[in-house]
Amino acid sequence: DTFKPLKEFQNYGPLVNSEFYTGWFDSWSKSHQTLSTDTFLQAMKSLWEYQSNVNINMYLVHGGTSFAFWSGGGSGSGSGRKRRMTYVTTGYSFDSLLTEAGDITNKYMRVRQFIARVRNKKLLPVPRNTTKTAYGRVLLDKRYRFQYEPSHEMALQSRLPQ
């Protein structure tokens, strides 16, 4: 019973899943993380069938980008100086319903249809995805020295994120 601890503390009011994950973040040198739409919808269905006052807050609906050194990381494995950190990529889509560019995904369309059916709502038109273009090569000719530079001793080396 997912909501048992909440009901023991507060036996009234709505039941809220405040971070219902649409997927998971990507880490450097790891495979791209995805969550199948069928799995996501089954979990969503089980929550809504649990009780009529269950509320779901999806995390994330829209992907985004972290800048500079704000993308975060985990403690990784090992201990002491041999500990290898795991670093989160700056793009965090979490396999979300909308891409980082705001484009509609198949997952979005299926979740939208599911919610409309469960909540008996009429669907409104969906805007088209924006047209993308290539801007060509950008030459970076200036450098900036950061006040804080991360230690490269424990950095993972990877030619490309995987």
Side-chain angles (χ1 to χ4, degrees):
D1 184 354
T2 303
F3 293 107
K4 186 177 179 185
L6 177 62
K7 288 180 0 184
E8 287 175 0
F9 177 75
Q10 169 189 306
N11 198 19
Y12 57 89
L15 301 174
V16 179
N17 183 325
S18 60
E19 287 192 12
F20 186 64
Y21 287 91
T22 60
W24 198 241
F25 60 82
D26 289 336
S27 295
W28 284 94
S29 78
K30 306 288 184 209
S31 298
H32 173 58
Q33 300 295 303
T34 60
L35 176 65
S36 81
T37 304
D38 289 336
T39 300
F40 182 75
L41 288 174
Q42 184 57 46
M44 195 176 208
K45 181 177 184 249
S46 69
L47 282 173
W48 271 339
E49 287 176 346
Y50 177 80
Q51 202 169 303
S52 63
N53 66 340
V54 168
N55 293 276
I56 298 171
N57 179 49
M58 288 180 240
Y59 185 87
L60 294 163
V61 169
H62 189 302
T65 301
S66 297
F67 297 97
F69 300 112
W70 293 99
S71 59
S75 61
S77 60
S79 62
R81 292 188 57 77
K82 293 188 177 195
R83 174 163 285 201
R84 291 186 55 95
M85 296 290 290
T86 57
Y87 297 99
V88 177
T89 61
T90 55
Y92 61 93
S93 75
F94 276 67
D95 196 30
S96 57
L97 309 184
L98 302 174
T99 69
E100 291 180 63
D103 289 341
I104 304 296
T105 65
N106 180 56
K107 186 182 263 188
Y108 171 88
M109 295 303 288
R110 291 196 48 208
V111 168
R112 177 179 186 264
Q113 290 165 351
F114 173 77
I115 293 171
R117 186 174 64 251
V118 169
R119 297 297 194 213
N120 197 27
K121 299 289 182 181
K122 183 180 177 188
L123 292 172
L124 298 173
V126 176
R128 291 183 315 130
N129 288 338
T130 58
T131 302
K132 310 300 182 288
T133 188
Y135 293 102
R137 193 171 184 161
V138 176
L139 178 64
L140 302 175
D141 59 355
K142 300 211 186 276
R143 295 183 184 163
Y144 175 77
R145 183 162 177 84
F146 291 100
Q147 284 182 315
Y148 165 76
E149 292 188 27
S151 168
H152 296 289
E153 291 176 355
M154 296 169 34
L156 298 174
Q157 300 293 317
S158 178
R159 191 172 70 79
L160 297 171
Q162 299 176 3

